[in-house]
Amino acid sequence: MMQGLRQWAYRLLRRTEIYFKTDMVSLTKSGFWLAAAQGVAAVTSFLLSIAFAYFLPQEVYGHYKFFLSIAAIISAVSLTGLSIPVTQLVAQGKERALRIAFRQNIRWSIPLMLVAAAGVVYYLLQDNILLAYGVGVIGLCAPFINGGGLYSAYWSGKSDFRTYALYWVAVNSTTALAILMCMFLTHSEYALVTTYFVVSAVTNMIAYLMASRSISAHKATADEDKIVSYSLHLSAINLLQTITSQIDRILVFHYVGAAGMAVYAFAIAIPDQVRAVLKGAARIALPKFATRSLDSIQQTLTAKLLRFGVVILVLTALYVVAAPYIFTWLFPKYMESVPYSQLLAATIITVLGSMPLAALQAHSATRELYQHAIFMNIIQIVLTVTLIANYGLMGAVWATIATRFISLVVPSVLLAIRKERS
């Protein structure tokens, strides 16, 4: 019976290739594990959100989300662009790039720790012990979270998405379980921030060490200088992107307060979870893009994106209709988040912009990546600062929508320009 089901599924996937114009069997094999991992993560995050909504005061949850945003910004001053070179080189058989990248991550974490130390001093001078403590924990744990997290780039480069998914689920589920246990025991912001960052550091390092042990001794090494050189470019781009991606949360915290931060976090949570699941397609495509010419990529990419876009629009419509019921049943304390969340659902389709961006990354298109980062970051900063300062939460929503729709178009334009130059 199982064999018959497999054959039926195989024939069905082959038939859908007429519509999607891609190898649906290969995509399903790779995408199944990524989708499963993202699905587990989405369910875990969903359950954790329910716990946050029922057991934590809005102020406490707002501070927790604020620390996550601060952590992203502080981490951005380190060598964050290592994952793409690792994926590229491992795909070429140079698996020892993982160990080289980890060493470089630790070496380049000094600026991160200095920024964290400056933040601790600043908040102590402001007599804000909670924020000083949180920033200190971030500074100590972030180098190991970032370095350990390179395991995902390694397994992606090997196109072993099954192992990637298993590791990723284990790391994230363990952290979520630790946070859940901490939440039941105490509502202390100090305990929550310590639990999250310490457990994240430990689990990511375990995953890295296990991946590192799988590298065969005979595997080719990689040029360390080239890894660092390309990573520096990507890290500079990531710095801008990280600041702008978190600036809405920081400004909401500043203008509206911790409770407003909590409302915004719930509004954007489900649309962002759906986007995260769909972004798995770009991760699958990156190693394949690295072995194809830009011309061949562009010949088929637009048609594929249009077809996948139809599916995404259907998912978006379903969520917009279901959102009031979801919040009524699961997040009754956050009903004011519903209209914001319905508007933000429109940004789910903008995940399609990650595919042409992945093509640029796979071909080390540094010039176009800088152009993308600079243009998008300027747009987002201007819109976010202006709209939040004048319209509060609704300003944050409109800034996010506008920025993400612009990001849907820009990578495709840059990919076309790059193809013409090559």
Side-chain angles (χ1 to χ4, degrees), residues 24-342:
M24 293 301 294
V25 174
S26 176
L27 179 62
T28 302
K29 286 179 180 178
S30 300
F32 169 78
W33 291 106
L34 285 181
Q38 290 288 354
V40 171
V43 171
T44 302
S45 177
F46 189 60
L47 295 175
L48 204 56
S49 295
I50 296 174
F52 282 136
Y54 277 94
F55 298 111
L56 286 187
Q58 285 189 350
E59 292 284 336
V60 174
Y61 182 62
H63 277 111
Y64 171 76
K65 295 298 289 185
F66 177 73
F67 281 127
L68 297 186
S69 295
I70 289 291
I73 292 174
I74 291 176
S75 295
V77 300
S78 62
L79 202 60
T80 58
L82 287 164
S83 60
I84 290 173
V86 169
T87 299
Q88 288 177 321
L89 291 167
V90 171
Q92 298 167 9
K94 300 176 181 179
E95 296 182 5
R96 280 189 263 178
L98 174 65
R99 293 173 183 167
I100 294 172
F102 180 81
R103 290 197 304 269
Q104 288 297 331
N105 167 79
I106 297 300
R107 184 177 301 170
W108 285 83
S109 291
I110 295 174
L112 178 158
M113 291 185 282
L114 291 175
V115 169
V120 170
V121 171
Y122 171 78
Y123 285 121
L124 286 175
L125 292 175
Q126 299 294 317
D127 292 324
N128 195 325
I129 305 301
L130 172 60
L131 294 188
Y133 177 82
V135 171
V137 171
I138 291 166
L140 292 174
C141 295
F144 301 101
I145 295 173
N146 298 338
L150 290 170
Y151 76 87
S152 61
Y154 173 78
W155 293 116
S156 293
K158 290 176 69 68
S159 294
D160 188 348
F161 294 105
R162 177 180 180 276
T163 303
Y164 163 83
L166 294 175
Y167 277 47
W168 198 83
V169 167
V171 168
N172 287 276
S173 297
T174 302
T175 304
L177 182 60
I179 286 291
L180 190 63
M181 293 174 63
C182 178
M183 196 188 317
F184 285 144
L185 295 174
T186 178
H187 291 169
S188 167
E189 289 102 327
Y190 294 95
L192 284 171
V193 70
T194 302
T195 300
Y196 176 82
F197 289 103
V198 170
V199 174
S200 292
V202 171
T203 52
N204 275 285
M205 281 302 302
I206 292 172
Y208 163 77
L209 291 172
M210 293 177 69
S212 181
R213 287 181 61 186
S214 74
I215 299 174
S216 303
H218 69 277
K219 288 294 183 181
T221 188
D223 188 322
E224 190 159 355
D225 290 337
K226 288 184 179 179
I227 292 176
V228 173
S229 176
Y230 186 34
S231 296
L232 281 171
H233 288 297
L234 293 175
S235 299
I237 293 169
N238 289 344
L239 174 61
L240 296 171
Q241 291 177 337
T242 301
I243 291 173
T244 52
S245 69
Q246 300 298 327
I247 194 172
D248 56 344
R249 294 161 176 82
I250 301 298
L251 290 175
V252 166
F253 185 88
H254 175 74
Y255 283 104
V256 187
M261 176 77 161
V263 170
Y264 182 71
F266 271 93
I268 203 169
I270 296 177
D272 273 1
Q273 282 294 330
V274 176
R275 280 169 52 86
V277 171
L278 296 174
K279 274 188 176 180
R283 181 177 289 275
I284 295 171
L286 184 60
K288 296 183 178 181
F289 284 163
T291 61
R292 293 174 56 194
S293 69
L294 288 175
D295 187 57
S296 66
I297 292 171
Q298 196 175 40
Q299 284 177 0
T300 58
L301 187 59
T302 301
K304 291 177 183 178
L305 293 181
L306 289 173
R307 287 172 173 83
F308 282 113
V310 173
V311 177
I312 293 173
L313 287 174
V314 172
L315 293 174
T316 301
L318 290 173
Y319 174 70
V320 169
V321 173
Y325 303 100
I326 292 172
F327 277 81
T328 299
W329 297 332
L330 302 175
F331 314 123
K333 286 168 55 178
Y334 290 91
M335 289 304 296
E336 59 189 300
S337 298
V338 172
Y340 303 127
S341 190
Q342 288 173 312

Side-chain angles (χ1 to χ4, degrees), residues 342-353:
Q342 288 173 312
L343 287 171
L344 288 166
T347 68
I348 294 174
I349 197 168
T350 63
V351 74
L352 294 176

